[in-house]
Structure formats: C-alpha cells, structure tokens
Amino acid sequence: VLCIFYSLFFSFSSRARMNASREVKSVELPNCKLIKGIVKSKVFVKFFPLLFYKGLRYPGVKSFEPDKPGKILLMDMNEEDPTVLELKMTGSNFDASSFNPHGISTFTDEDNTVYLLVVSHPDFKSTVELFKFQEEEKSLLHLKTIRHELLPNLNDLVAVGREHFYATNDHYFVDQYLRSWELYLGLAWSNVVYYSPDDVRVVASGFDFANGISMSPDRKYVYIAELLAHKIHVYEKHANWTLTPLKSLDCDTLVDNISVDPVTGDLWVGCHPNGMKIFSYDPENPPGSEVLQIQNILAEDPKVTVVYAEDGKVLHGSTVASVYKGKMLVGTVFQKALYCEL
C-alpha cells in the first residue's frame, strides 16, 4: 500500500511539474513567417543584432536528425528580409563531427572582437567551446575547449568575459538511469556554476532543472529559469562573482531560455505550456509554444504578458525568443524558427 501511495504521489507530482493537463490558449501575432532553411533542427538564438542558431541532440528528447552534427547559423536582424547563413567553423583541434551545441552566449572585448561561447555535448558529455567570430569571413575560429568536473550537465551559459561565465547544470547525476529518477522524483539538485580559468565554484543550487540563464543590461543581476518549478529567479551579482537571491517570479508555464532586451531590460522567455509533450513527443499531438515578455522584473509587481502562444500547429516546443528593433525570432526544441514583426 505504501509503495502504491508513493507511486501515485510522485506520478501526480511529476504531472503537475510538467503542466501535463494544460491546454494552450492561442495568442496570435499578425506578421509572422517561418524562416527558410531551418527544418528539423533544434534552434536557439541569443545575440543582438546578429543572431546565432544551432542544432542539438539531447538525451530523452526526440531528435529528427540524430546522426548529423550541429551547426551555427547566422541571421542579421538589420536586414529588411533576413535570411540565415551557415558559419564555417575552423580550428586545428576542433572536431566538427561531434559538435552538439546547446546553450550559447557572446562576449564583446574592448576592441569589439566578438567571442562565442557554446555549450556542446560530444558523446553526450559537456564542454564549452570558445570561438572567435570573424565577421568579414563569416566564420568561427575555434580557440579552446573547456571541461571541468563542476560542469557535468551543462544547459545554458552567460558570458561575463572571454573565458568567464555563469552556467547552469540541469541535472545532478550524469548516469542516464539516475538522471531519469532525479527528474521523476523531483530532486531539486541542479545548480549554477561560475567558471574562470583560475576559479570554478557553485554559486547557486537547489533547482528543479536549472535551464536558461541571462543577465541584466547593467550586468548587476543574473536571471535563472527553473524549468520544472515554473519560476524565474533574480540574483544579485557581486564583485567577487558570488550571487545573492533577490526574488522569484512564478509563471504558469515551463520556462526555458531567457533573452534580455539590451535597451529596455525586458525579459523574453521561450516556454513550454505542456512539458509532458516535450519529453513524450507525439507528432499527432505535438507540443505547443509560448513566449512571455516580463517588464520591470525588479518591481514588486512585474508585468507579465503572453505575447505569443499556439498549440503546435506552427511550432513544436518553443525554447527561446529574441527581440531586436520590433522584430522577434522564436526558436524551438524540434524544428523550425519563427520570425515576427511586433
């Protein structure tokens, strides 16, 4: 009887964390179109005004092209009708065949050199690949691969220097069997790590699937998405790189990745209204998409707006939304990307 009770309890808990019973209420935008050249690949975007994309194979989530390596695409949002361009990746020690990109962030040096830091999962392990963006050649020069024992299950990162970043680990366990139990039991053991070449440490913990991470335009605050708790957390960043929890915002959706408007400071969040459909993909009943805009998140009562939502007829599983000069790009888990004029 006790075993049945615990089984029912954890089953109910898992369904609640996944928002398994939620149906999507449609919120449409009038000027949207799918981007040509992006089909059956996972997409993630984060940078202004040049947006970088990638593809991902992730344990427990369906992949339409499991045997193809990931790639980085470029889209210039300053163009009237922007298109995507695949960036050539070069470097003597870079293995493009095992490139499996996930989270992505950029850092611009004092001389305006742009560096791209990319979470990758070669053979489903975790690394951070450091690239230099060569704008004239439209290519990426691989500079370094970063590995560390405190970075075992990387999801996303936000760069604070060329080789300095905060990163989320979305699981505690590395073993796939134990990871599945960690997810099922709701063990809030994932964390956030600060990395530099000389200092690596856990700076925040106790998350039920730490996911997207970003930073305020003034670099004073770090935003963390806790996917299965449906929360956005705000942390104050200190000069010694420690983080202090400031507030949390409850959302009625699974919050994935966070982009921050560099002008307004608004948060744009790609979300999963029903997480069960993400982890149990059914093409006949595909996962929906949802985009939140969060204004004045530091205020006592932030304004949260559902900017876009649909039930899977257009996109399958939105992960991220980036906005630049009235234009929005929505990336997904499974396929396609959507370009909208707001």
Side-chain angles (χ1 to χ4, degrees):
V1 174
L2 190 61
C3 289
I4 294 174
F5 170 78
Y6 279 122
S7 178
L8 290 172
F9 173 79
F10 287 124
S11 176
F12 177 80
S13 173
S14 294
R15 287 185 61 82
R17 290 159 56 237
M18 293 285 184
N19 257 6
S21 300
R22 186 181 171 202
E23 298 296 329
V24 181
K25 183 178 180 181
S26 179
V27 177
E28 297 182 358
L29 290 172
N31 300 307
C32 293
K33 62 180 180 181
L34 294 172
I35 299 172
K36 296 179 181 178
I38 301 179
V39 180
K40 292 187 178 180
S41 63
K42 302 188 182 182
V43 180
F44 186 91
V45 294
K46 194 189 276 188
F47 188 46
F48 305 91
L50 302 176
L51 298 175
F52 297 90
Y53 306 70
K54 50 80 182 167
L56 166 70
R57 302 179 304 282
Y58 188 79
V61 177
K62 181 177 177 58
S63 175
F64 287 96
E65 298 179 326
D67 299 323
K68 289 190 176 182
K71 55 189 176 182
I72 303 290
L73 307 179
L74 179 69
M75 182 173 180
D76 189 346
M77 296 291 278
N78 282 317
E79 294 179 356
E80 184 72 23
D81 187 18
T83 57
V84 295
L85 171 71
E86 182 176 350
L87 296 179
K88 182 180 179 182
M89 294 178 285
T90 62
S92 57
N93 296 317
F94 178 62
D95 180 14
S97 65
S98 66
F99 187 51
N100 186 16
H102 197 171
I104 186 171
S105 186
T106 60
F107 178 77
T108 304
D109 225 333
E110 294 178 354
D111 61 358
N112 288 324
T113 301
V114 175
Y115 297 95
L116 198 65
L117 290 81
V118 184
V119 171
S120 181
H121 300 292
D123 301 319
F124 299 112
K125 298 179 173 62
S126 285
T127 66
V128 173
E129 305 298 338
L130 175 64
F131 298 93
K132 177 182 178 181
F133 176 51
Q134 299 175 306
E135 188 169 2
E136 289 189 6
E137 297 87 349
K138 295 295 187 290
S139 66
L140 295 170
L141 174 63
H142 183 258
L143 302 177
K144 186 177 183 179
T145 296
I146 297 171
R147 299 180 180 89
H148 196 275
E149 60 182 8
L150 290 181
L151 304 172
N153 295 299
L154 290 174
N155 187 297
D156 194 17
L157 77 171
V158 58
V160 293
R162 174 177 154 168
E163 296 182 44
H164 303 67
F165 54 84
Y166 292 101
T168 56
N169 285 301
D170 55 29
H171 287 76
Y172 174 83
F173 293 109
V174 175
D175 178 83
Q176 187 59 39
Y177 176 75
L178 294 177
R179 281 164 58 102
S180 64
W181 275 104
E182 179 184 351
L183 187 69
Y184 179 67
L185 296 175
L187 303 179
W189 290 358
S190 65
N191 60 30
V192 175
V193 172
Y194 168 72
Y195 177 91
S196 74
D198 304 315
D199 180 18
V200 187
R201 51 193 146 113
V202 175
V203 291
S205 59
F207 299 105
D208 189 359
F209 205 114
N211 202 314
I213 186 168
S214 196
M215 190 174 292
S216 61
D218 60 12
R219 318 293 281 181
K220 293 181 179 179
Y221 303 100
V222 173
Y223 307 126
I224 301 164
E226 188 177 9
L227 182 78
L228 295 178
H230 316 161
K231 295 178 184 287
I232 300 287
H233 300 279
V234 181
Y235 281 75
E236 186 175 3
K237 181 174 71 70
H238 302 287
N240 61 358
W241 304 107
T242 58
L243 300 178
T244 300
L246 196 62
K247 65 178 296 185
S248 297
L249 180 66
D250 291 311
C251 307
D252 184 29
T253 187
L254 279 70
V255 287
D256 199 323
N257 289 296
I258 306 167
S259 295
V260 178
D261 188 314
V263 177
T264 66
D266 294 351
L267 279 65
W268 292 80
V269 189
C271 305
H272 308 292
N274 186 324
M276 192 66 76
K277 294 183 179 182
I278 292 292
F279 291 96
S280 302
Y281 182 79
D282 178 1
E284 300 301 318
N285 186 22
S289 295
E290 189 172 35
V291 174
L292 300 184
Q293 178 188 15
I294 304 173
Q295 297 169 284
N296 302 315
I297 193 168
L298 297 176
E300 185 176 343
D301 187 22
K303 182 180 180 182
V304 181
T305 305
V306 179
V307 176
Y308 178 81
E310 60 92 26
D311 62 4
K313 291 184 177 66
V314 179
L315 296 176
H316 294 182
S318 55
T319 57
V320 68
S322 286
V323 171
Y324 180 75
K325 291 185 177 180
K327 304 170 185 177
M328 180 176 73
L329 193 62
V330 183
T332 65
V333 175
F334 298 102
Q335 41 77 291
K336 303 179 181 178
L338 190 71
Y339 172 81
C340 301
E341 295 181 3
L342 300 175

